[in-house]
Amino acid sequence: MDALVSLCKRRGFLFQSSEIYGGVQGFWDYGPLGVELKRNLKDAWWQDMISGHNELTAPAGAPSPFEMVGLDCTILMHPQVWKCSGHYDLFHDYMVDCRESKKRYRHDQVRGRYVEYQDQKVFVTTLAEIEHEVDEIRRRALKFFKLRAKNADDITIGDESITLDKLDSHDDVLGPDAKSVGTLTEPREFNLMFKTTLGALGGADDTTFLRPETAQGIFVNFKNVLDSSRVRVPFGIGQVGKSFRNEITPRNFTFRSREFEQMEIEFFCHPDQSQEWYRYWRDRRMAWYTEMGLSGESLIMREHEQSELAHYSVGTADIEYAFPFLPEGEYGELEGIAHRGDFDLRSHMEGKLDPATNPMTVQLGEDGKPKYRGSGKDLTYRDDITNEKYVPHVIEPSAGADRGALAFLCEAYTEDEAPDEKGKLQTRTVMKLHPRLAPIKAAVFPLVKKDGMPEIAQEIYAGLKQHFNVFYDAKGAVGRRYRRQDEAGTPYCITVDGDSLTDKTVTIRDRDSLEQTRIKIDDVVDEIRSRILQ
């Protein structure tokens, strides 16, 4: 993971936000290569899920044909949206404060191990990456017990890594930035939404929030889409956009950030068919990741247990990936597919529903009236063929663009051996990104900067540039130019050599197989296009 993070900065995939001022935790900037990777990921998702969808036929595994449309909602919305959705009351994590360091941590994300020295036993915590956990705990334990490194064998470190929420007491806990034990408070709720104000006065009535998810913008526009697009249930609305969550302890590179981008679908269907559609979207989304290059061995589909389900959920499955910063055998969420039932549409129509009731009814305040009043708008659907009227159920495949980009970067990072320009085997770092996701689709090289080769190479570059993001490089030995493109994830390199002047052909080199073939100059654009889409 350290090698990948180093490459991401060195080659311009990712930078920490405001780095020259020391950085801001939980915020990341995408560099020249990173912005292309993330854009390609979002474009591939949009093409495969929305714009490229054929509504005239039922895809494999789907109960029937269906329509897909897009939407782009605002980040700031009416405050009542978040009260009716449940986020205002329920969207929180548990945090602990350290009385010594004055720092705050998410209760279930602080890990540690028991350490014994003589007759004393303390629980030493750390926020270090998993591969550095034991070394960091040993260092902190030695400092706590006032021992030197040569006395490391005198302490015993437990085999099991445990998070704070699994402990019964914090009395013997050495906080992540503390020098004494017992400095952590009891856990308490912390709302994850970022507050802001609308208008010039800035009073309590002007308080609103940066959206913590893109889904609610789709629900409140359900009626607008129905009336303007002539869609019929079943149909889906897709959206790509920014969301914000005030994570207590952002960590693991871009995996848990405070500002992130989501790729979400809200799929509206008849209640009687909702389980079939849930299974369809769950399987389709899993297949998409393998089609885009993630290893099936690194992916799992995990159904949530009853105790894990969100207040709105009838059922949820997570697509999880074996990120390298996690302990061996553990997986991190890449995408969630949730069966939301009719919770959202009913809440925005009638008022916030009470998850403690079954079937759910509107939650009432002390005055006997709805605690949070809905819009009062009719969000039911009437089938114009059967004349049946009902509130559709919703299936929500919700993917993270940033987590997706991170997973594809982790999967792509490879070290192998390849011959250099002298034929000697050298270690090669290569990003084996799917051609659809690769930031640069092809690089064009003149073998040498003379004999008319640069002119031909520049003509090829200009022709490709009209269709793809390509790169021109005439600096250094061709072997070094190959290595630079391998690190950038460029799948194809096109070299103009002496033969190109006479037979009008060029060499195209495949990044992964290293196979080199000759093709006609006139066929270069079509060849690159066919290889990307194959």
Side-chain angles (χ1 to χ4, degrees), residues 262-309:
Q262 291 180 286
M263 307 180 294
E264 287 197 310
I265 293 169
E266 304 304 328
F267 187 81
F268 302 92
C269 59
H270 192 286
D272 293 345
Q273 286 191 311
S274 60
Q275 287 297 340
E276 293 178 73
W277 285 112
Y278 172 63
R279 289 190 292 270
Y280 165 75
W281 280 108
R282 185 191 61 187
D283 296 344
R284 178 175 178 182
R285 292 302 302 147
M286 182 73 165
W288 188 79
Y289 285 104
T290 58
E291 291 166 5
M292 296 305 296
L294 293 188
S295 166
E297 297 178 356
S298 299
L299 287 169
I300 62 169
M301 176 77 72
R302 187 180 69 85
E303 289 280 353
H304 281 208
E305 298 178 6
Q306 193 66 33
S307 60
E308 296 180 87
L309 294 177

Side-chain angles (χ1 to χ4, degrees), residues 460 463-464 467-468 521-530:
I460 295 172
L464 286 167
H467 308 278
F468 316 105
I521 291 176
D522 292 342
D523 296 339
V524 168
V525 172
D526 289 339
E527 179 70 19
I528 295 298
R529 179 180 289 110
S530 66

Side-chain angles (χ1 to χ4, degrees), residues 193-209:
M193 290 195 292
F194 281 104
K195 283 185 179 181
T196 188
T197 55
L198 285 173
L201 297 179
D205 292 339
D206 299 321
T207 298
T208 188
F209 304 92

Side-chain angles (χ1 to χ4, degrees), residues 417-427 478-480 482-483:
E417 289 189 333
D420 60 15
E421 58 269 18
K422 298 179 180 179
K424 186 178 180 181
L425 283 178
Q426 299 286 348
T427 299
V478 71
R480 287 195 289 273
Y482 283 149
R483 295 296 183 274

Side-chain angles (χ1 to χ4, degrees), residues 310-324:
H311 59 282
Y312 54 75
S313 179
V314 178
T316 296
D318 283 346
I319 298 172
E320 298 183 340
Y321 179 73
F323 288 97

